């Protein structure tokens, strides 16, 4: 079983974000990137079953803010307008103009919960692993003139 960092769907690399506007964060769900993923292995007459799934994703937004989301997040769609994400969002309070390349550099860190069982030994357990994915967010200001 290979556990990997989350597949960050938003913030998008090509996206441009605005100071003060709600940003929706989410990851692509799949067995490799989010789980649950299960495997069995047998050796010497003992079968071990291992299941892994993401319990939470900690987003370091690059501006000093961290947000922990206990799910993959809800994908944004245009019909949602300027609403706040129901489960995983952020609002940048300043432009990334002073950052390298005008982008905040952040990370999404998935905490995987891994459970294992060996029924013939009447044994099992649980442990956690973390995997990280980097992302960037170009955040600018909008100025309106009358």
């Amino acid at each position: 079983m290979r556990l990997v960092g989350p597949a960050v769907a938003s913030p998008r690399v090509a996206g441009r974000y605005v100071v003060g506007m709600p940003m929706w964060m989410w990851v692509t769900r799949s067995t490799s990137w989010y789980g649950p993923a299960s495997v069995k292995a047998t050796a010497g007459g003992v079968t071990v079953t291992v299941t892994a799934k993401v319990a939470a994703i900690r987003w370091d937004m690059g501006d000093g803010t961290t947000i922990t989301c206990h799910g993959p997040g809800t994908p944004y769609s245009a019909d949602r307008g300027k609403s706040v994400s129901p489960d995983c969002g952020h609002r940048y309070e300043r432009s990334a103009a002073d950052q390298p390349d005008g982008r905040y550099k952040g990370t999404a860190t998935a905490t995987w919960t891994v459970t294992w069982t060996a029924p013939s030994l009447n044994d099992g357990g649980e442990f956690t692993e973390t995997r990280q994915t980097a992302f960037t967010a170009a955040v600018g200001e909008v100025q309106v003139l009358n």
Side-chain angles (χ1 to χ4, degrees):
M1 176 182 297
R2 183 169 180 253
L3 304 180
V4 297
V8 175
S10 176
R12 299 176 323 280
V13 172
R16 305 242 352 121
Y17 302 94
V18 178
V19 171
M21 293 296 289
M23 172 188 277
W24 291 40
M25 293 115 60
W26 70 92
V27 298
T28 302
R29 290 184 73 160
S30 78
T31 55
S32 300
W33 294 319
Y34 196 80
S38 293
V39 295
K40 286 184 181 185
T42 302
V46 176
T47 299
V48 177
T49 302
V50 179
T51 302
K53 62 183 176 180
V54 172
I57 299 176
R58 191 185 83 241
W59 298 80
D60 177 341
M61 301 307 295
D63 64 348
T65 304
T66 58
I67 297 136
T68 299
C69 300
H70 296 280
T74 302
Y76 176 80
S77 59
D79 64 316
R80 297 183 185 260
K82 298 174 188 164
S83 64
V84 174
S85 170
D87 54 4
C88 192
H90 179 55
R91 195 181 306 255
Y92 282 102
E93 295 186 15
R94 67 188 203 304
S95 163
D98 63 344
Q99 301 296 307
D101 300 322
R103 304 175 82 73
Y104 286 112
K105 291 177 179 24
T107 55
T109 303
T111 299
W112 288 85
T113 299
V114 182
T115 57
W116 63 275
T117 60
S120 64
L121 300 176
N122 198 30
D123 202 2
E126 181 177 290
F127 60 94
T128 60
E129 290 283 327
T130 59
R131 299 292 186 271
Q132 191 174 78
T133 301
F135 67 87
T136 62
V139 179
E141 293 179 320
V142 174
Q143 296 181 7
V144 179
L145 301 174
N146 278 343

